[in-house]
Amino acid sequence: MNALNLNDINYIRELVRRHSAIVLEPDKAYLIETRLAPLAQQTGFASLQELIAALRSNRVQGLLAQVVEAITTHETSFFRDLHPFETLKTQVLPELIARRQPGQTLTMWCAACSSGQEPFSVAMLLHEHFPSLVRGRLRIIATDLSNTILSRAREGLYSQIEINRGLPAALLTRHFDKQGLRWRLKPDIRRMVEFQQSNLAEAWPPLPPMDIVFMRNVLIYFGLETKKSILARIRGILKPDGYLFLGTSETTLNLDAAFEPIPMGKTLCYK
């Protein structure tokens, strides 16, 4: 397909920013073209230019959502970076459990959960090491912008390549069933996670007070003011002794002075 001109690139950049708050730098033309080319073929357009012309005229229902979804990055893996999950297991959860009243529910939010590997990693960790929480004292909410990717997450069905990225063999044996060339999480793990659609840059669905928020490798895609707005809203739902986990290249520094960084081994959490 023919390369997009600068006018079309900037149109897509602005469209994505307006509808998802994701900031695409001017040098992301290649990313835009490679993400939209398969969509153009799937939707019957002969070129990227035809797809963008249809977008501009708003003549194809649902095309805008498909474009934003195609551009959005869905990079994820089981137990990504590993050390945040170790910190959760050895320090954060034992501390919060000790502080809570017997029988009190712990609530956790995995934002921008993509195809579900992060919340399911948490669910497996809890199932393995905190069985008393799993029996009615735990709530894991996972959200993402994309309804398509959420449908995939709810299925809990993963390719061998996805399984190979971070999942320990012992957990594969205990928590997955082979289905053809793929692996499906067993129902007891799938039932532990509630999936909801949510655009972080727009109004959030009603969320309960949170003990733990995982918002890892998400803020890097947003502009300065959107980052500040999201962190301010997290403060509004995070319990006073709750913990925020960000990605290894993310920080609240110079964005929200109300958050205190808490070093825990290789992990930097925020309160």
Side-chain angles (χ1 to χ4, degrees), residues 209-249:
M210 293 291 170
D211 296 281
I212 300 165
V213 174
F214 261 49
M215 193 172 283
R216 304 183 61 238
N217 309 298
V218 182
L219 294 181
I220 52 173
Y221 296 108
F222 297 130
L224 181 65
E225 293 308 313
T226 303
K227 291 177 184 178
K228 289 181 177 180
S229 170
I230 288 172
L231 288 171
R233 285 193 278 173
I234 290 173
R235 276 194 283 110
I237 62 169
L238 191 64
K239 293 180 182 178
D241 62 349
Y243 285 93
L244 168 65
F245 286 74
L246 298 177
T248 52
S249 62

mmCIF file of all heavy atoms in Angstrom, residues 209-249:
data_model
loop_
_atom_site.group_PDB
_atom_site.id
_atom_site.type_symbol
_atom_site.label_atom_id
_atom_site.label_comp_id
_atom_site.label_asym_id
_atom_site.label_seq_id
_atom_site.Cartn_x
_atom_site.Cartn_y
_atom_site.Cartn_z
ATOM 1 N N PRO A 209 -13.227 1.694 46.342
ATOM 2 C CA PRO A 209 -11.918 2.054 46.887
ATOM 3 C C PRO A 209 -10.929 0.908 46.685
ATOM 4 O O PRO A 209 -11.257 -0.259 46.903
ATOM 5 C CB PRO A 209 -12.199 2.290 48.377
ATOM 6 C CG PRO A 209 -13.658 2.620 48.435
ATOM 7 C CD PRO A 209 -14.300 1.808 47.359
ATOM 8 N N MET A 210 -9.724 1.242 46.244
ATOM 9 C CA MET A 210 -8.747 0.231 45.855
ATOM 10 C C MET A 210 -7.639 0.065 46.887
ATOM 11 O O MET A 210 -7.096 1.051 47.400
ATOM 12 C CB MET A 210 -8.099 0.613 44.511
ATOM 13 C CG MET A 210 -9.050 0.581 43.336
ATOM 14 S SD MET A 210 -9.553 -1.121 42.941
ATOM 15 C CE MET A 210 -10.869 -0.789 41.759
ATOM 16 N N ASP A 211 -7.287 -1.183 47.149
ATOM 17 C CA ASP A 211 -6.108 -1.488 47.963
ATOM 18 C C ASP A 211 -4.844 -1.441 47.115
ATOM 19 O O ASP A 211 -3.781 -1.037 47.589
ATOM 20 C CB ASP A 211 -6.249 -2.877 48.593
ATOM 21 C CG ASP A 211 -7.413 -2.958 49.553
ATOM 22 O OD1 ASP A 211 -7.266 -2.489 50.695
ATOM 23 O OD2 ASP A 211 -8.479 -3.482 49.161
ATOM 24 N N ILE A 212 -4.959 -1.872 45.875
ATOM 25 C CA ILE A 212 -3.806 -1.944 44.965
ATOM 26 C C ILE A 212 -4.260 -1.528 43.570
ATOM 27 O O ILE A 212 -5.308 -1.966 43.099
ATOM 28 C CB ILE A 212 -3.230 -3.383 44.898
ATOM 29 C CG1 ILE A 212 -2.769 -3.854 46.283
ATOM 30 C CG2 ILE A 212 -2.078 -3.471 43.899
ATOM 31 C CD1 ILE A 212 -2.544 -5.353 46.378
ATOM 32 N N VAL A 213 -3.461 -0.691 42.933
ATOM 33 C CA VAL A 213 -3.693 -0.333 41.527
ATOM 34 C C VAL A 213 -2.447 -0.686 40.731
ATOM 35 O O VAL A 213 -1.346 -0.219 41.037
ATOM 36 C CB VAL A 213 -4.021 1.168 41.359
ATOM 37 C CG1 VAL A 213 -4.098 1.526 39.868
ATOM 38 C CG2 VAL A 213 -5.327 1.521 42.062
ATOM 39 N N PHE A 214 -2.609 -1.529 39.726
ATOM 40 C CA PHE A 214 -1.567 -1.819 38.745
ATOM 41 C C PHE A 214 -1.879 -0.969 37.518
ATOM 42 O O PHE A 214 -2.873 -1.209 36.838
ATOM 43 C CB PHE A 214 -1.601 -3.299 38.356
ATOM 44 C CG PHE A 214 -0.594 -4.169 39.062
ATOM 45 C CD1 PHE A 214 -0.432 -4.122 40.429
ATOM 46 C CD2 PHE A 214 0.195 -5.058 38.332
ATOM 47 C CE1 PHE A 214 0.478 -4.927 41.074
ATOM 48 C CE2 PHE A 214 1.115 -5.878 38.971
ATOM 49 C CZ PHE A 214 1.261 -5.816 40.345
ATOM 50 N N MET A 215 -1.053 0.025 37.246
ATOM 51 C CA MET A 215 -1.188 0.825 36.026
ATOM 52 C C MET A 215 0.195 0.891 35.394
ATOM 53 O O MET A 215 0.836 1.933 35.342
ATOM 54 C CB MET A 215 -1.752 2.208 36.319
ATOM 55 C CG MET A 215 -2.193 2.958 35.071
ATOM 56 S SD MET A 215 -3.073 4.491 35.409
ATOM 57 C CE MET A 215 -4.687 3.907 35.876
ATOM 58 N N ARG A 216 0.639 -0.254 34.936
ATOM 59 C CA ARG A 216 2.021 -0.414 34.509
ATOM 60 C C ARG A 216 2.162 -0.262 32.988
ATOM 61 O O ARG A 216 1.397 -0.831 32.232
ATOM 62 C CB ARG A 216 2.561 -1.781 34.956
ATOM 63 C CG ARG A 216 2.434 -1.997 36.467
ATOM 64 C CD ARG A 216 3.026 -3.327 36.906
ATOM 65 N NE ARG A 216 4.438 -3.379 36.587
ATOM 66 C CZ ARG A 216 4.988 -4.322 35.811
ATOM 67 N NH1 ARG A 216 4.242 -5.284 35.289
ATOM 68 N NH2 ARG A 216 6.280 -4.302 35.566
ATOM 69 N N ASN A 217 3.174 0.538 32.588
ATOM 70 C CA ASN A 217 3.478 0.719 31.162
ATOM 71 C C ASN A 217 2.289 1.295 30.399
ATOM 72 O O ASN A 217 1.997 0.880 29.264
ATOM 73 C CB ASN A 217 3.933 -0.611 30.545
ATOM 74 C CG ASN A 217 5.044 -1.273 31.350
ATOM 75 O OD1 ASN A 217 6.114 -0.715 31.482
ATOM 76 N ND2 ASN A 217 4.765 -2.441 31.915
ATOM 77 N N VAL A 218 1.606 2.242 31.040
ATOM 78 C CA VAL A 218 0.430 2.881 30.444
ATOM 79 C C VAL A 218 0.654 4.382 30.291
ATOM 80 O O VAL A 218 0.427 4.962 29.229
ATOM 81 C CB VAL A 218 -0.833 2.653 31.308
ATOM 82 C CG1 VAL A 218 -2.050 3.269 30.646
ATOM 83 C CG2 VAL A 218 -1.052 1.183 31.586
ATOM 84 N N LEU A 219 1.121 5.023 31.364
ATOM 85 C CA LEU A 219 1.278 6.480 31.363
ATOM 86 C C LEU A 219 2.247 6.959 30.287
ATOM 87 O O LEU A 219 2.136 8.095 29.819
ATOM 88 C CB LEU A 219 1.758 6.967 32.737
ATOM 89 C CG LEU A 219 0.792 6.792 33.910
ATOM 90 C CD1 LEU A 219 1.415 7.344 35.186
ATOM 91 C CD2 LEU A 219 -0.546 7.466 33.643
ATOM 92 N N ILE A 220 3.182 6.098 29.884
ATOM 93 C CA ILE A 220 4.162 6.496 28.875
ATOM 94 C C ILE A 220 3.513 6.907 27.556
ATOM 95 O O ILE A 220 4.125 7.620 26.765
ATOM 96 C CB ILE A 220 5.184 5.362 28.606
ATOM 97 C CG1 ILE A 220 4.467 4.042 28.295
ATOM 98 C CG2 ILE A 220 6.146 5.200 29.763
ATOM 99 C CD1 ILE A 220 5.401 2.929 27.864
ATOM 100 N N TYR A 221 2.276 6.493 27.320
ATOM 101 C CA TYR A 221 1.611 6.795 26.054
ATOM 102 C C TYR A 221 0.822 8.107 26.088
ATOM 103 O O TYR A 221 0.285 8.525 25.060
ATOM 104 C CB TYR A 221 0.666 5.656 25.660
ATOM 105 C CG TYR A 221 1.400 4.359 25.406
ATOM 106 C CD1 TYR A 221 1.313 3.302 26.308
ATOM 107 C CD2 TYR A 221 2.188 4.202 24.276
ATOM 108 C CE1 TYR A 221 1.994 2.107 26.079
ATOM 109 C CE2 TYR A 221 2.879 3.023 24.040
ATOM 110 C CZ TYR A 221 2.777 1.982 24.948
ATOM 111 O OH TYR A 221 3.460 0.814 24.724
ATOM 112 N N PHE A 222 0.744 8.745 27.261
ATOM 113 C CA PHE A 222 -0.091 9.928 27.406
ATOM 114 C C PHE A 222 0.733 11.208 27.515
ATOM 115 O O PHE A 222 1.908 11.185 27.896
ATOM 116 C CB PHE A 222 -0.971 9.803 28.666
ATOM 117 C CG PHE A 222 -1.950 8.661 28.622
ATOM 118 C CD1 PHE A 222 -2.042 7.767 29.669
ATOM 119 C CD2 PHE A 222 -2.781 8.489 27.538
ATOM 120 C CE1 PHE A 222 -2.947 6.709 29.643
ATOM 121 C CE2 PHE A 222 -3.689 7.443 27.482
ATOM 122 C CZ PHE A 222 -3.767 6.554 28.536
ATOM 123 N N GLY A 223 0.072 12.328 27.194
ATOM 124 C CA GLY A 223 0.684 13.634 27.378
ATOM 125 C C GLY A 223 0.697 14.042 28.844
ATOM 126 O O GLY A 223 0.068 13.411 29.694
ATOM 127 N N LEU A 224 1.403 15.126 29.127
ATOM 128 C CA LEU A 224 1.639 15.567 30.506
ATOM 129 C C LEU A 224 0.345 15.791 31.284
ATOM 130 O O LEU A 224 0.176 15.286 32.400
ATOM 131 C CB LEU A 224 2.480 16.851 30.493
ATOM 132 C CG LEU A 224 2.844 17.444 31.860
ATOM 133 C CD1 LEU A 224 3.748 16.498 32.638
ATOM 134 C CD2 LEU A 224 3.516 18.798 31.677
ATOM 135 N N GLU A 225 -0.580 16.558 30.717
ATOM 136 C CA GLU A 225 -1.807 16.886 31.447
ATOM 137 C C GLU A 225 -2.678 15.650 31.671
ATOM 138 O O GLU A 225 -3.329 15.521 32.713
ATOM 139 C CB GLU A 225 -2.595 17.970 30.701
ATOM 140 C CG GLU A 225 -1.894 19.320 30.679
ATOM 141 C CD GLU A 225 -1.468 19.790 32.074
ATOM 142 O OE1 GLU A 225 -2.303 19.715 32.999
ATOM 143 O OE2 GLU A 225 -0.309 20.222 32.220
ATOM 144 N N THR A 226 -2.700 14.742 30.714
ATOM 145 C CA THR A 226 -3.468 13.499 30.891
ATOM 146 C C THR A 226 -2.865 12.658 32.006
ATOM 147 O O THR A 226 -3.590 12.086 32.827
ATOM 148 C CB THR A 226 -3.512 12.696 29.583
ATOM 149 O OG1 THR A 226 -4.061 13.515 28.544
ATOM 150 C CG2 THR A 226 -4.359 11.446 29.731
ATOM 151 N N LYS A 227 -1.535 12.568 32.062
ATOM 152 C CA LYS A 227 -0.876 11.843 33.148
ATOM 153 C C LYS A 227 -1.270 12.428 34.503
ATOM 154 O O LYS A 227 -1.601 11.693 35.442
ATOM 155 C CB LYS A 227 0.647 11.908 32.988
ATOM 156 C CG LYS A 227 1.204 11.131 31.823
ATOM 157 C CD LYS A 227 2.720 11.331 31.725
ATOM 158 C CE LYS A 227 3.290 10.641 30.505
ATOM 159 N NZ LYS A 227 4.745 10.851 30.371
ATOM 160 N N LYS A 228 -1.220 13.737 34.618
ATOM 161 C CA LYS A 228 -1.572 14.394 35.889
ATOM 162 C C LYS A 228 -3.024 14.113 36.264
ATOM 163 O O LYS A 228 -3.332 13.840 37.434
ATOM 164 C CB LYS A 228 -1.339 15.903 35.776
ATOM 165 C CG LYS A 228 0.126 16.303 35.736
ATOM 166 C CD LYS A 228 0.265 17.821 35.641
ATOM 167 C CE LYS A 228 1.728 18.253 35.671
ATOM 168 N NZ LYS A 228 1.857 19.729 35.571
ATOM 169 N N SER A 229 -3.911 14.176 35.279
ATOM 170 C CA SER A 229 -5.330 13.937 35.537
ATOM 171 C C SER A 229 -5.566 12.507 36.012
ATOM 172 O O SER A 229 -6.328 12.257 36.958
ATOM 173 C CB SER A 229 -6.137 14.218 34.264
ATOM 174 O OG SER A 229 -7.465 13.798 34.395
ATOM 175 N N ILE A 230 -4.906 11.542 35.355
ATOM 176 C CA ILE A 230 -5.087 10.138 35.725
ATOM 177 C C ILE A 230 -4.566 9.883 37.137
ATOM 178 O O ILE A 230 -5.222 9.229 37.952
ATOM 179 C CB ILE A 230 -4.387 9.226 34.694
ATOM 180 C CG1 ILE A 230 -5.167 9.236 33.373
ATOM 181 C CG2 ILE A 230 -4.254 7.797 35.225
ATOM 182 C CD1 ILE A 230 -4.459 8.532 32.234
ATOM 183 N N LEU A 231 -3.391 10.411 37.464
ATOM 184 C CA LEU A 231 -2.835 10.210 38.804
ATOM 185 C C LEU A 231 -3.717 10.853 39.869
ATOM 186 O O LEU A 231 -3.904 10.290 40.962
ATOM 187 C CB LEU A 231 -1.409 10.772 38.876
ATOM 188 C CG LEU A 231 -0.350 9.957 38.130
ATOM 189 C CD1 LEU A 231 0.973 10.724 38.074
ATOM 190 C CD2 LEU A 231 -0.147 8.593 38.781
ATOM 191 N N ALA A 232 -4.280 12.018 39.572
ATOM 192 C CA ALA A 232 -5.179 12.662 40.529
ATOM 193 C C ALA A 232 -6.419 11.807 40.772
ATOM 194 O O ALA A 232 -6.898 11.686 41.906
ATOM 195 C CB ALA A 232 -5.578 14.047 40.021
ATOM 196 N N ARG A 233 -6.922 11.187 39.708
ATOM 197 C CA ARG A 233 -8.106 10.334 39.872
ATOM 198 C C ARG A 233 -7.772 9.029 40.599
ATOM 199 O O ARG A 233 -8.602 8.493 41.338
ATOM 200 C CB ARG A 233 -8.745 10.059 38.511
ATOM 201 C CG ARG A 233 -9.506 11.276 37.980
ATOM 202 C CD ARG A 233 -10.390 10.910 36.818
ATOM 203 N NE ARG A 233 -9.634 10.870 35.568
ATOM 204 C CZ ARG A 233 -10.142 10.438 34.418
ATOM 205 N NH1 ARG A 233 -11.387 9.978 34.367
ATOM 206 N NH2 ARG A 233 -9.421 10.444 33.309
ATOM 207 N N ILE A 234 -6.550 8.529 40.407
ATOM 208 C CA ILE A 234 -6.134 7.355 41.179
ATOM 209 C C ILE A 234 -6.122 7.691 42.665
ATOM 210 O O ILE A 234 -6.568 6.891 43.500
ATOM 211 C CB ILE A 234 -4.743 6.859 40.718
ATOM 212 C CG1 ILE A 234 -4.833 6.253 39.320
ATOM 213 C CG2 ILE A 234 -4.195 5.803 41.692
ATOM 214 C CD1 ILE A 234 -3.488 5.896 38.718
ATOM 215 N N ARG A 235 -5.622 8.870 43.011
ATOM 216 C CA ARG A 235 -5.632 9.282 44.424
ATOM 217 C C ARG A 235 -7.040 9.266 44.999
ATOM 218 O O ARG A 235 -7.245 9.008 46.180
ATOM 219 C CB ARG A 235 -5.040 10.686 44.576
ATOM 220 C CG ARG A 235 -3.537 10.694 44.657
ATOM 221 C CD ARG A 235 -3.008 12.023 45.138
ATOM 222 N NE ARG A 235 -3.022 13.044 44.111
ATOM 223 C CZ ARG A 235 -3.831 14.101 44.087
ATOM 224 N NH1 ARG A 235 -4.751 14.261 45.034
ATOM 225 N NH2 ARG A 235 -3.761 14.987 43.120
ATOM 226 N N GLY A 236 -8.012 9.552 44.135
ATOM 227 C CA GLY A 236 -9.392 9.588 44.598
ATOM 228 C C GLY A 236 -9.975 8.235 44.918
ATOM 229 O O GLY A 236 -10.962 8.147 45.667
ATOM 230 N N ILE A 237 -9.379 7.160 44.379
ATOM 231 C CA ILE A 237 -9.926 5.824 44.643
ATOM 232 C C ILE A 237 -8.977 4.923 45.441
ATOM 233 O O ILE A 237 -9.395 3.889 45.952
ATOM 234 C CB ILE A 237 -10.321 5.089 43.337
ATOM 235 C CG1 ILE A 237 -9.099 4.863 42.450
ATOM 236 C CG2 ILE A 237 -11.409 5.847 42.593
ATOM 237 C CD1 ILE A 237 -9.366 3.933 41.285
ATOM 238 N N LEU A 238 -7.711 5.322 45.573
ATOM 239 C CA LEU A 238 -6.738 4.492 46.293
ATOM 240 C C LEU A 238 -6.886 4.730 47.799
ATOM 241 O O LEU A 238 -6.899 5.873 48.261
ATOM 242 C CB LEU A 238 -5.316 4.850 45.852
ATOM 243 C CG LEU A 238 -4.191 3.921 46.292
ATOM 244 C CD1 LEU A 238 -4.350 2.526 45.695
ATOM 245 C CD2 LEU A 238 -2.831 4.526 45.901
ATOM 246 N N LYS A 239 -7.010 3.651 48.544
ATOM 247 C CA LYS A 239 -7.120 3.773 49.991
ATOM 248 C C LYS A 239 -5.860 4.419 50.570
ATOM 249 O O LYS A 239 -4.780 4.314 49.967
ATOM 250 C CB LYS A 239 -7.348 2.394 50.628
ATOM 251 C CG LYS A 239 -8.696 1.786 50.276
ATOM 252 C CD LYS A 239 -8.871 0.423 50.929
ATOM 253 C CE LYS A 239 -10.200 -0.213 50.542
ATOM 254 N NZ LYS A 239 -10.373 -1.564 51.118
ATOM 255 N N PRO A 240 -5.964 5.083 51.733
ATOM 256 C CA PRO A 240 -4.803 5.797 52.293
ATOM 257 C C PRO A 240 -3.551 4.931 52.458
ATOM 258 O O PRO A 240 -2.434 5.433 52.339
ATOM 259 C CB PRO A 240 -5.321 6.288 53.647
ATOM 260 C CG PRO A 240 -6.795 6.399 53.459
ATOM 261 C CD PRO A 240 -7.172 5.290 52.530
ATOM 262 N N ASP A 241 -3.736 3.638 52.722
ATOM 263 C CA ASP A 241 -2.572 2.753 52.863
ATOM 264 C C ASP A 241 -2.411 1.835 51.652
ATOM 265 O O ASP A 241 -1.663 0.856 51.704
ATOM 266 C CB ASP A 241 -2.667 1.918 54.139
ATOM 267 C CG ASP A 241 -3.891 1.000 54.149
ATOM 268 O OD1 ASP A 241 -4.777 1.162 53.277
ATOM 269 O OD2 ASP A 241 -3.974 0.133 55.037
ATOM 270 N N GLY A 242 -3.106 2.161 50.547
ATOM 271 C CA GLY A 242 -3.019 1.343 49.343
ATOM 272 C C GLY A 242 -1.750 1.624 48.552
ATOM 273 O O GLY A 242 -1.006 2.584 48.835
ATOM 274 N N TYR A 243 -1.508 0.792 47.541
ATOM 275 C CA TYR A 243 -0.278 0.888 46.747
ATOM 276 C C TYR A 243 -0.590 1.025 45.262
ATOM 277 O O TYR A 243 -1.471 0.350 44.732
ATOM 278 C CB TYR A 243 0.583 -0.365 46.942
ATOM 279 C CG TYR A 243 1.291 -0.419 48.272
ATOM 280 C CD1 TYR A 243 0.699 -1.068 49.362
ATOM 281 C CD2 TYR A 243 2.541 0.168 48.451
ATOM 282 C CE1 TYR A 243 1.351 -1.127 50.589
ATOM 283 C CE2 TYR A 243 3.197 0.107 49.678
ATOM 284 C CZ TYR A 243 2.601 -0.547 50.737
ATOM 285 O OH TYR A 243 3.238 -0.601 51.956
ATOM 286 N N LEU A 244 0.191 1.897 44.613
ATOM 287 C CA LEU A 244 0.149 2.056 43.162
ATOM 288 C C LEU A 244 1.425 1.473 42.568
ATOM 289 O O LEU A 244 2.528 1.801 43.009
ATOM 290 C CB LEU A 244 0.037 3.540 42.799
ATOM 291 C CG LEU A 244 0.264 3.925 41.327
ATOM 292 C CD1 LEU A 244 -0.815 3.331 40.419
ATOM 293 C CD2 LEU A 244 0.329 5.449 41.174
ATOM 294 N N PHE A 245 1.263 0.601 41.561
ATOM 295 C CA PHE A 245 2.391 0.056 40.821
ATOM 296 C C PHE A 245 2.401 0.682 39.427
ATOM 297 O O PHE A 245 1.412 0.585 38.698
ATOM 298 C CB PHE A 245 2.261 -1.462 40.660
ATOM 299 C CG PHE A 245 2.542 -2.270 41.897
ATOM 300 C CD1 PHE A 245 1.620 -2.314 42.943
ATOM 301 C CD2 PHE A 245 3.716 -3.005 42.020
ATOM 302 C CE1 PHE A 245 1.861 -3.071 44.078
ATOM 303 C CE2 PHE A 245 3.965 -3.764 43.144
ATOM 304 C CZ PHE A 245 3.046 -3.806 44.181
ATOM 305 N N LEU A 246 3.524 1.289 39.042
ATOM 306 C CA LEU A 246 3.715 1.806 37.692
ATOM 307 C C LEU A 246 4.770 0.964 36.976
ATOM 308 O O LEU A 246 5.419 0.112 37.587
ATOM 309 C CB LEU A 246 4.164 3.273 37.738
ATOM 310 C CG LEU A 246 3.200 4.271 38.375
ATOM 311 C CD1 LEU A 246 3.830 5.661 38.394
ATOM 312 C CD2 LEU A 246 1.862 4.301 37.649
ATOM 313 N N GLY A 247 4.957 1.211 35.679
ATOM 314 C CA GLY A 247 6.000 0.512 34.932
ATOM 315 C C GLY A 247 7.383 0.974 35.351
ATOM 316 O O GLY A 247 7.547 2.033 35.983
ATOM 317 N N THR A 248 8.395 0.212 34.982
ATOM 318 C CA THR A 248 9.761 0.522 35.430
ATOM 319 C C THR A 248 10.265 1.856 34.873
ATOM 320 O O THR A 248 11.147 2.477 35.473
ATOM 321 C CB THR A 248 10.729 -0.596 35.007
ATOM 322 O OG1 THR A 248 10.577 -0.851 33.610
ATOM 323 C CG2 THR A 248 10.436 -1.885 35.766
ATOM 324 N N SER A 249 9.725 2.314 33.745
ATOM 325 C CA SER A 249 10.162 3.587 33.175
ATOM 326 C C SER A 249 9.194 4.722 33.491
ATOM 327 O O SER A 249 9.299 5.812 32.920
ATOM 328 C CB SER A 249 10.318 3.451 31.654
ATOM 329 O OG SER A 249 9.071 3.139 31.057
#
